[in-house]
Amino acid sequence: MEVQNEEKGEALLELMTKSNYFTKLKPEHKKDDSFTVPLKVSSYNELNMMVSDLLKASIILLNPETKSFSSFTKDQNINVMTFLEIALQLLPEEEMELLDDLHKVYLEC
């Protein structure tokens, strides 16, 4: 029985390595048990709009008067904290520092 299970396990692993399964999460080598998810955007403006939309959706969902949207979805349990965590991770911190430096140069002109 164990030999059959081992063979099935090996076949499953072989199938997964030959195909493009489990490719979305990329291991982050800096931390254990942590992964990154690639997110393609066309510009910083698009990234900014994504963060803005996540924050707007969170504001709307936190408003007690807008909790009912049964016409959109059957599952009304939406975790706003997830939206906020995503928005926080999408903010381009280093680029904002660059914009501050560029703004200082602009003010000196």
Side-chain angles (χ1 to χ4, degrees):
M1 177 89 164
E2 286 183 35
V3 174
Q4 270 186 328
N5 287 339
E6 188 174 320
E7 288 174 359
K8 288 180 183 179
E10 288 176 9
L12 179 62
L13 285 174
E14 185 178 330
L15 175 66
M16 289 186 324
T17 55
K18 286 183 179 180
S19 302
N20 275 341
Y21 299 122
F22 302 112
T23 59
K24 185 59 83 175
L25 295 179
K26 306 292 182 195
E28 187 174 299
H29 300 289
K30 297 175 189 174
K31 300 177 183 176
D32 293 332
D33 300 328
S34 183
F35 298 91
T36 59
V37 178
L39 179 68
K40 293 182 182 181
V41 295
S42 62
S43 65
Y44 282 104
N45 188 46
E46 181 183 6
L47 177 61
N48 185 58
M49 288 173 26
M50 289 173 66
V51 172
S52 178
D53 288 342
L54 284 168
L55 293 172
K56 288 175 190 175
S58 298
I59 290 167
I60 290 169
L61 291 170
L62 287 170
N63 184 348
E65 296 172 5
T66 60
K67 287 289 183 184
S68 174
F69 41 24
S70 58
S71 63
F72 295 114
T73 180
K74 292 180 182 178
D75 183 13
Q76 294 187 11
N77 295 323
I78 296 175
N79 189 347
V80 178
M81 287 298 294
T82 302
F83 283 162
L84 297 173
E85 288 172 359
I86 292 169
L88 186 61
Q89 291 179 30
L90 289 175
L91 288 172
E93 295 174 17
E94 292 82 12
E95 288 79 0
M96 293 299 117
E97 291 175 14
L98 173 63
L99 285 175
D100 280 342
D101 291 341
L102 291 173
H103 187 245
K104 286 177 189 175
V105 170
Y106 170 76
L107 291 175
E108 291 173 359
C109 292

